Amino acid sequence: MKKVKRIAAALMAALLTAGCLAGCGGSQESESSKGGESKQGGTLVVGIPQDPQSFNPDAKSDDVLFDIGQNIFSRLIKLNNKQELVPDLAEEWEISEDGKEITFHLRKDVKWHDGEPCTSKDVKWTFDQIINENGQIKSNLSSVESIEAPDDHTVVFKLSVNDANLLSYLGWNGCMIMPAHLYEGTDWLDNPANKKPVGTGPFKFSEYESGVSVTLKRNDEYFGQVPYLDKIVYSIIPDENTALQAFYNEELDILGVNPPLSELKTLEGNPNLVVGMQQWPARYQVAFNVKDGVFADPKLREAVACGVDKDAVVEKALKGVGKRCDEAMVSLYKWALNTQDKYPDRDVDKARKLIEEAGYKADKNGMYFSVELDAWNEIPYSDIGTVVKDNLKEIGIDVKLNITEMAAWNEKVWINHDYDIAILGGFQGPDAGGLSLRFASDGSMNIYEYL
């Protein structure tokens, strides 16, 4: 196997603001700091923390599939590493004067991996399916009145209202174009292509062995720059320390999973590695179930906001990588930042007073009530959960920390809303309007069930 330069994709951590929302910071980002000629061939081995839930890229949220899916599938438009919208299947697009029509002109040389032509029919089917079958970004498309395909290479989105955020959403997640000829007339949740995906991207699906790896091979008929690599192998390693050791042993070319943050200095000091960090509009949040349970009471949510020590989260859980943020909007969107309305600083006495005002009395151990805190078993979520648990004990809330794999967390928290509080993280989105996805009542990430 021809090896390539090994890269540690280091975490530029987001910060936590208690109350429902947490701060500004980052996600994984790799960069090559040394030049060199590109060479044909080779296999790139990338670590991933768990199996993808399926290979349907649009039905349900799946962070693991997102990275793999971007190599298998294409979108109409996509985001580059500078958060700029660039062409993908659409070579160009135009917006009508009234802002209520967006016309995309598609490339004419695109084929699905099975040899069938990719046309506007596939684009229309994909977005109609997302809307009609409650795909993961259905709420992002609420302004879309209809989608028309007047010819094989033109797609027109007709909007009911002006929507400045729509283009950014179309370049992000949950909108990879799927093959209508394989999915039409079937249940898109139970289709053979969900196990052997067919896309139009730079790599073709080759093999999947559950718990072991996902293998992609180069698509020599890709419409863009054909990859130099022969293959990408995504190696499934759930334990971060095991993944890190595999990386040190040169079994991985890209670490892929978040390393223990205590290892960053070691990684950065190794001359044989390339380690990159980039500030990113991402956040970690304390999320409440505001519909059912104790946190339906806003006094108790405010108590938690006063109880969490954001500086301790950055120092202890994030090892100083990242920074606290006290506003709802991540600070990278300076033009949209409201600096007047802030989440409160830590105040243990005020937190206890709020809990008592809500009608609770402390027991002999100083505890008012007990709750469960859900987090998934990836760095730094479990570490954040531990700091938050200790913080809330000081204000009289007894916390049981429930650490699960992401798929189980998604099922319990995101899908079934069966939780008290949870640690949620992720990219805010390519536009400041992405805040509405989490906090608008119809937002696709409104796991809190705000109305």
Side-chain angles (χ1 to χ4, degrees):
M1 179 172 69
K2 186 185 293 184
K3 300 292 283 185
V4 300
K5 183 186 296 293
R6 297 192 303 138
I7 299 173
L11 179 75
M12 177 59 176
L15 40 151
L16 180 123
T17 301
C20 296
L21 188 74
C24 333
S27 67
Q28 300 179 107
E29 183 60 30
S30 65
E31 64 177 35
S32 177
S33 62
K34 298 179 181 179
E37 292 184 7
S38 298
K39 296 181 180 180
Q40 189 76 26
T43 297
L44 184 74
V45 184
V46 183
I48 56 175
Q50 63 186 55
D51 294 79
Q53 296 173 46
S54 88
F55 288 98
N56 180 323
D58 296 339
K60 298 179 181 179
S61 176
D62 185 350
D63 288 348
V64 172
L65 178 61
F66 180 62
D67 291 335
I68 300 170
Q70 291 189 93
N71 282 311
I72 298 175
F73 297 94
S74 307
R75 287 163 283 197
L76 270 176
I77 53 181
K78 61 185 179 182
L79 292 167
N80 66 16
N81 203 34
K82 297 179 181 179
Q83 302 304 299
E84 299 166 334
L85 289 169
V86 296
D88 202 5
L89 289 178
E91 290 183 296
E92 56 184 6
W93 55 95
E94 63 219 24
I95 303 173
S96 63
E97 283 192 20
D98 65 1
K100 292 187 178 180
E101 279 192 12
I102 306 176
T103 302
F104 295 93
H105 302 282
L106 307 184
R107 299 177 187 271
K108 297 180 175 62
D109 57 345
V110 182
K111 292 182 180 180
W112 292 101
H113 293 159
D114 62 4
E116 292 293 315
C118 176
T119 69
S120 59
K121 176 182 178 181
D122 299 294
V123 177
K124 175 176 168 53
W125 180 88
T126 295
F127 286 100
D128 284 344
Q129 189 77 358
I130 292 169
I131 293 169
N132 296 332
E133 297 298 327
N134 201 30
Q136 64 170 298
I137 66 160
K138 176 181 178 178
S139 65
N140 301 15
L141 305 175
S142 60
S143 63
V144 177
E145 193 170 71
S146 66
I147 300 165
E148 298 181 1
D151 60 55
D152 281 351
H153 301 103
T154 306
V155 178
V156 182
F157 280 65
K158 295 194 173 185
L159 312 184
S160 57
V161 294
N162 295 107
D163 187 350
N165 300 321
L166 182 60
L167 281 175
S168 294
Y169 296 153
L170 297 182
W172 188 18
N173 197 2
C175 55
M176 296 178 189
I177 305 306
M178 297 172 62
H181 68 282
L182 296 180
Y183 278 89
E184 266 187 327
T186 74
D187 179 354
W188 77 330
L189 297 178
D190 186 24
N191 184 293
N194 290 347
K195 295 181 179 179
K196 295 183 178 181
V198 174
T200 56
F203 287 88
K204 297 180 179 181
F205 175 84
S206 177
E207 183 182 9
Y208 167 49
E209 187 176 353
S210 179
V212 179
S213 63
V214 179
T215 302
L216 310 182
K217 61 182 180 181
R218 181 176 61 241
N219 175 17
D220 289 317
E221 295 186 82
Y222 180 54
F223 58 83
Q225 172 65 58
V226 175
Y228 291 102
L229 290 167
D230 293 325
K231 293 181 180 180
I232 302 176
V233 176
Y234 293 92
S235 182
I236 300 165
I237 309 177
D239 180 72
E240 294 91 350
N241 290 304
T242 303
L244 183 63
Q245 191 58 52
F247 182 69
Y248 285 142
N249 293 342
E250 300 189 17
E251 297 165 14
L252 298 176
D253 298 308
I254 296 180
L255 181 55
V257 299
N258 294 334
L261 296 177
S262 58
E263 286 287 318
L264 283 181
K265 289 184 178 179
T266 302
L267 290 166
E268 290 176 323
N270 189 325
N272 297 316
L273 304 179
V274 177
V275 179
M277 294 189 201
Q278 180 176 338
Q279 193 173 22
W280 211 249
R283 72 181 74 236
Y284 295 113
Q285 306 164 232
V286 174
F288 298 104
N289 182 342
V290 305
K291 185 177 180 181
D292 300 307
V294 294
F295 292 114
D297 188 333
K299 282 186 180 294
L300 299 181
R301 302 200 295 270
E302 185 180 356
V304 171
C306 293
V308 172
D309 186 341
K310 290 165 281 188
D311 292 322
V313 171
V314 174
E315 178 184 350
K316 295 179 180 179
L318 306 181
K319 310 304 180 190
V321 182
K323 59 181 182 178
R324 65 176 276 170
C325 182
D326 295 315
E327 298 85 12
M329 182 68 67
V330 292
S331 60
L332 288 181
Y333 299 118
K334 295 185 187 303
W335 64 270
L337 193 63
N338 173 6
T339 59
Q340 301 301 312
D341 300 305
K342 295 177 178 287
Y343 290 113
D345 289 326
R346 191 168 200 237
D347 188 332
V348 172
D349 291 337
K350 182 178 179 180
R352 283 185 167 271
K353 183 179 179 182
L354 285 164
I355 295 172
E356 290 173 359
E357 287 176 358
Y360 291 85
K361 292 183 178 180
D363 63 18
K364 62 181 181 180
N365 297 315
M367 297 294 108
Y368 294 103
F369 58 87
S370 299
V371 296
E372 189 171 88
L373 171 60
D374 288 284
W376 62 75
N377 61 340
E378 287 183 32
I379 293 171
Y381 295 95
S382 56
D383 293 336
I384 293 173
T386 298
V387 175
V388 171
K389 174 183 177 179
D390 292 343
N391 287 168
L392 297 190
K393 184 176 182 180
E394 293 181 48
I395 68 169
I397 301 177
D398 182 34
V399 175
K400 176 187 176 184
L401 191 56
N402 183 37
I403 306 294
T404 59
E405 291 189 349
M406 186 190 299
W409 186 97
N410 280 342
E411 184 74 22
K412 185 175 187 290
V413 177
W414 193 309
I415 297 173
N416 293 326
H417 301 281
D418 178 22
Y419 75 103
D420 297 316
I421 50 176
I423 303 300
L424 175 64
F427 180 43
Q428 166 156 336
D431 186 271
L435 193 66
S436 64
L437 301 182
R438 299 172 187 268
F439 296 104
S441 59
D442 62 348
S444 60
M445 301 179 190
N446 176 16
I447 67 169
Y448 337 93
E449 296 196 281
Y450 288 131
L451 298 177

